Amino acid sequence: MVQAYILIQTEVGKSGVVSRAVGQLEGVVTSEDVTGPYDVIARVEAPSVDDLGRQVISQIQEVPHITRTTTCTVVHL
């Protein structure tokens, strides 16, 4: 199982709406509003890196009011 954190920037005042919408997507484990340079952080899971991109990240990028995303894949060293 591949896991990643998606750091999300939103339009002003839209973090709650975005967090709820992202949290309902398949593959999203958690989605929370945060303070700092990002507005929402989501933890996602998928069977492979390819599935992560196709099934999860592409869905997140279609959510309205998102201005930018950064994907941080979890690694086990």
Side-chain angles (χ1 to χ4, degrees):
M1 186 68 66
V2 177
Q3 300 171 336
Y5 289 93
I6 311 295
L7 311 176
I8 302 169
Q9 292 178 331
T10 70
E11 295 172 357
V12 175
K14 298 296 184 180
S15 62
V17 172
V18 169
S19 180
R20 286 188 292 278
V22 169
Q24 295 176 354
L25 298 174
E26 184 178 345
V28 176
V29 178
T30 60
S31 178
E32 299 183 279
D33 299 358
V34 296
T35 60
Y38 296 95
D39 303 304
V40 176
I41 296 179
R43 183 172 177 157
V44 300
E45 292 183 343
S48 70
V49 172
D50 289 339
D51 290 330
L52 185 71
R54 278 194 306 266
Q55 297 174 358
V56 183
I57 297 169
S58 63
Q59 290 182 69
I60 289 173
Q61 292 174 342
E62 292 180 9
V63 172
H65 310 296
I66 291 178
T67 58
R68 183 176 181 190
T69 64
T70 301
T71 302
C72 302
T73 305
V74 174
V75 295
H76 301 281
L77 302 174

